C-alpha cells in the first residue's frame, strides 16, 4: 500500500527560478490528494506526477494567494480534459465563493461536479474519512484563518496465524473476533490468548502538513509521533522578529516543533525568496533536529510501513 508525498512547490509567496509556491501531492493507494494549489501547481503536477485525472480531493490550508491561486486553473484544465468524476475540495470560508465566481464570469460550465467542504480553522476536526485514510485539520497561528492537515491511516486489524488457528480447529466464524483482539475459549474452557493466534498489524502511518504559521506549541498534541512532519521555515533565526511579525516561523522553530512532537523526520519549506542557498536553513534546523531534510520541487518521500516487534 503506497503512501508517498511529492513536493510541487517549496517557495513562500514569490516564486523563484527553481521554486514554485506551495503545493504537495499525497499518493495513497494510487489515489492523489492535493494539498494547496499555488499558481503554477498544475504544471508542477504534470512535470512531477502526471495522470492528473487520478486527483481524488483537494485540501486548501488558507486563502493567501500562494496557497490557492492555481486552483481555478486546475479545475478548468480537468474540465477541458473531460473529467467526469466528482472533485471534492476542502477549505475555509470564502474558497467556494471565489472559485464559483471565477467560473461564472468566465462562463465555464463544468462537465463534472465540484463539491466544497467548509472547514473551520479554529478547531481540529476530522474532515475526511474514506477507506483506510483519515484527514484531520491542525489549527495554526497565521495572519488569516489557517490550518494544516494530518493524513493518518486507521489502525488495521490483527492478522491471523493461519497454521495455528487451523491446528487448533478454531471455526471460521470466530476469525473476525480474533482479528479484533479477542481470546479464544475452547469447548473444555481452555483460554487460548489472542497473542498466540494473531500478529499485530503494521503501525498506522502518518504525515502532517503544517502550513503558514508562527511558532505554536498548541499543535504538538495533534501531531504527536508523526512519521513525517512538514513545517514551514520561511526565515533563518536571525530574522525571528520579522518571522513573528509576519506570522511565520524560522528553521530553528520548525525543528523545535519536530523535536517536541516526537516526529521521526522533518521536512522544511516555504522558504523566503531572499535565500538562494538553502543550506543555512538546513544547518540551523539540523542543529536541533538532525533528521531534517529540505523540501525541493519534485522531491518524493515514502512513508514506510513499520511492523510491530512482539
Ligand atoms: Zn504562504
Ligand atoms: Zn499565508
Amino acid at each position: 500500500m503506497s503512501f508517498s508525498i511529492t513536493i510541487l512547490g517549496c517557495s513562500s509567496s514569490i516564486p523563484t527560478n527553481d521554486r514554485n509556491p506551495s503545493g504537495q501531492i499525497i499518493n495513497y493507494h494510487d489515489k492523489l490528494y492535493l494539498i494547496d494549489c499555488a499558481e503554477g501547481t498544475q504544471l508542477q503536477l504534470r512535470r512531477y506526477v502526471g495522470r492528473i485525472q487520478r486527483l481524488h480531493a483537494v485540501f486548501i490550508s488558507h486563502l493567501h494567494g500562494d496557497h490557492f491561486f492555481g486552483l481555478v486553473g486546475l479545475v478548468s484544465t480537468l474540465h477541458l480534459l473531460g473529467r467526469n468524476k466528482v472533485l471534492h475540495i476542502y477549505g475555509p470560508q470564502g474558497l467556494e465563493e471565489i472559485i464559483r465566481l471565477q467560473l461564472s464570469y468566465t462562463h465555464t460550465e463544468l462537465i463534472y461536479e465540484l463539491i466544497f467542504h467548509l472547514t473551520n480553522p479554529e478547531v481540529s476536526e476530522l474532515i475526511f474519512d474514506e477507506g483506510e485514510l483519515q484527514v484531520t485539520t491542525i489549527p495554526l497561528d497565521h495572519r488569516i484563518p489557517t490550518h494544516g492537515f494530518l493524513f493518518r491511516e486507521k489502525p488495521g486489524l490483527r492478522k491471523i496465524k493461519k497454521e495455528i488457528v487451523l491446528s487448533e480447529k478454531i471455526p471460521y466464524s470466530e476469525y473476525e473476533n480474533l482479528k479484533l483482539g479477542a481470546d479464544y475459549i475452547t469447548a473444555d474452557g481452555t483460554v487460548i490468548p489472542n497473542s498466540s493466534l494473531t500478529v499485530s498489524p503494521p503501525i498506522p502511518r502518518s504525515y502532517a502538513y503544517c502550513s503558514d504559521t508562527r511558532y505554536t506549541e498548541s499543535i504538538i498534541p495533534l501531531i504527536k509521533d508523526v512519521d513525517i512532519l512538514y513545517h514551514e521555515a520561511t526565515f533563518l533565526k536571525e530574522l525571528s522578529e520579522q518571522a513573528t511579525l509576519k506570522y511565520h516561523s524560522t528553521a530553528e522553530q520548525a525543528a523545535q516543533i519536530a523535536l517536541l512532537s516526537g516526529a521521526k523526520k522533518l521536512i522544511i519549506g516555504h522558504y523566503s525568496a531572499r535565500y538562494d542557498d538553502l543550506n543555512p536553513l538546513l544547518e540551523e534546523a539540523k542543529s536541533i533536529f538532525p533528521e531534517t531534510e529540505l523540501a525541493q520541487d519534485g522531491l518524493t518521500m515514502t512513508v514506510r510501513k513499520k511492523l510491530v516487534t512482539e
Side-chain angles (χ1 to χ4, degrees):
M1 300 296 193
S2 59
F3 187 178
S4 69
I5 301 108
T6 298
I7 306 291
L8 302 175
C10 64
S11 190
S12 56
S13 46
I14 301 172
T16 68
N17 281 344
D18 49 8
R19 305 200 296 258
N20 207 68
S22 293
Q24 300 190 1
I25 277 284
I26 310 288
N27 184 333
Y28 187 73
H29 293 193
D30 245 17
K31 279 186 180 162
L32 301 181
Y33 301 87
L34 176 64
I35 310 177
D36 282 343
C37 187
E39 178 191 354
T41 295
Q42 62 167 312
L43 290 171
Q44 299 290 77
L45 258 170
R46 199 172 275 278
R47 190 171 291 141
Y48 297 120
V49 182
R51 296 186 287 166
I52 63 173
Q53 292 296 13
R54 279 188 304 151
L55 195 57
H56 194 60
V58 178
F59 298 86
I60 301 294
S61 67
H62 66 301
L63 296 188
H64 277 153
D66 58 320
H67 295 259
F68 85 103
F69 275 175
L71 186 54
V72 75
L74 176 63
V75 162
S76 167
T77 296
L78 294 173
H79 161 76
L80 295 171
L81 290 173
R83 183 184 179 97
N84 50 28
K85 268 193 317 197
V86 172
L87 182 65
H88 294 272
I89 301 178
Y90 298 78
Q93 179 81 44
L95 182 63
E96 176 168 12
E97 199 181 343
I98 295 168
I99 299 299
R100 296 225 187 266
L101 191 71
Q102 289 174 305
L103 294 173
S104 153
Y105 273 98
T106 54
H107 297 262
T108 309
E109 285 188 26
L110 295 179
I111 57 168
Y112 64 97
E113 192 181 0
L114 277 188
I115 297 181
F116 285 85
H117 303 264
L118 183 64
T119 56
N120 175 4
E122 299 299 317
V123 292
S124 172
E125 53 185 2
L126 178 68
I127 56 168
F128 180 90
D129 187 347
E130 199 180 288
E132 293 165 46
L133 186 65
Q134 290 183 326
V135 182
T136 310
T137 52
I138 307 166
L140 297 170
D141 183 11
H142 196 42
R143 206 152 14 104
I144 61 171
T146 302
H147 47 56
F149 301 102
L150 176 69
F151 283 69
R152 187 172 43 193
E153 287 180 311
K154 291 182 202 169
L157 295 172
R158 298 185 66 82
K159 301 222 180 312
I160 286 176
K161 294 178 184 171
K162 267 260 168 69
E163 313 84 77
I164 298 176
V165 168
L166 289 175
S167 71
E168 296 286 352
K169 300 196 168 48
I170 297 176
Y172 185 72
S173 57
E174 289 296 319
Y175 283 17
E176 281 311 302
N177 290 333
L178 297 181
K179 287 182 192 170
L180 292 168
D183 296 334
Y184 180 69
I185 303 167
T186 61
D188 65 6
T190 311
V191 176
I192 307 177
N194 187 279
S195 57
S196 61
L197 300 171
T198 66
V199 291
S200 294
I203 298 168
R205 295 171 291 176
S206 55
Y207 173 67
Y209 173 81
C210 290
S211 185
D212 296 10
T213 186
R214 271 179 179 169
Y215 179 80
T216 174
E217 293 183 4
S218 62
I219 65 176
I220 288 165
L222 302 173
I223 59 173
K224 202 90 198 91
D225 301 326
V226 68
D227 288 305
I228 300 180
L229 167 65
Y230 169 87
H231 194 290
E232 74 123 292
T234 308
F235 299 108
L236 283 167
K237 69 176 171 190
E238 64 192 21
L239 293 181
S240 59
E241 266 179 44
Q242 195 161 335
T244 306
L245 270 173
K246 294 188 164 181
Y247 289 81
H248 284 296
S249 301
T250 65
E252 184 183 73
Q253 290 170 334
Q256 191 65 25
I257 293 293
L259 187 68
L260 293 175
S261 62
K264 314 281 183 304
K265 184 177 182 145
L266 169 67
I267 307 294
I268 54 171
H270 199 270
Y271 320 115
S272 162
R274 80 192 63 220
Y275 301 119
D276 285 330
D277 178 10
L278 301 175
N279 282 310
L281 289 152
L282 180 63
E283 292 314 315
E284 185 176 300
K286 274 189 153 177
S287 69
I288 297 206
F289 190 79
E291 283 303 308
T292 305
E293 198 175 333
L294 289 171
Q296 292 182 50
D297 293 16
L299 172 74
T300 294
M301 297 158 285
T302 300
V303 192
R304 301 207 180 279
K305 262 204 191 317
K306 291 175 302 287
L307 296 169
V308 183
T309 45
E310 295 181 5

